[in-house]
Amino acid sequence: MILSTRRHEGSIAKADKDVVQAGILIEALSRRRSFELGEALALAEGRGQKWKSAIKIATTALDDRTYELLEKSRADFGMSA
């Protein structure tokens, strides 16, 4: 997801692909490893404000269902939005 926010304007197709791939991973991990997905999210956001901002921006590109799965994983790990 973070990578999608760092693509240049000429790489819109690649950024879209990054978001689709992230969505597939979120969906798969949320089914079997939701806690670990939440933990990975917490670790990434803990790397600093730039990472946290990039994640926040990238999540706006996710479809509603995938965003809800990500937020459920966040809650499973004990994080608030």
Side-chain angles (χ1 to χ4, degrees), residues 10-30:
S11 300
I12 292 173
K14 287 184 179 182
D16 290 345
K17 178 189 65 93
D18 295 336
V19 172
V20 168
Q21 289 175 335
I24 291 167
L25 288 170
I26 290 167
E27 195 168 323
L29 290 170
S30 69

Side-chain angles (χ1 to χ4, degrees), residues 21-59:
Q21 289 175 335
I24 291 167
L25 288 170
I26 290 167
E27 195 168 323
L29 290 170
S30 69
R31 287 190 185 132
R32 294 201 172 115
R33 303 179 88 137
S34 185
F35 181 87
E36 290 157 332
L37 176 58
E39 180 180 29
L41 185 59
L43 289 171
E45 289 180 344
R47 293 191 57 96
Q49 190 57 42
K50 286 184 180 182
W51 280 54
K52 193 171 187 173
S53 294
I55 291 168
K56 185 175 183 176
I57 291 166
T59 58

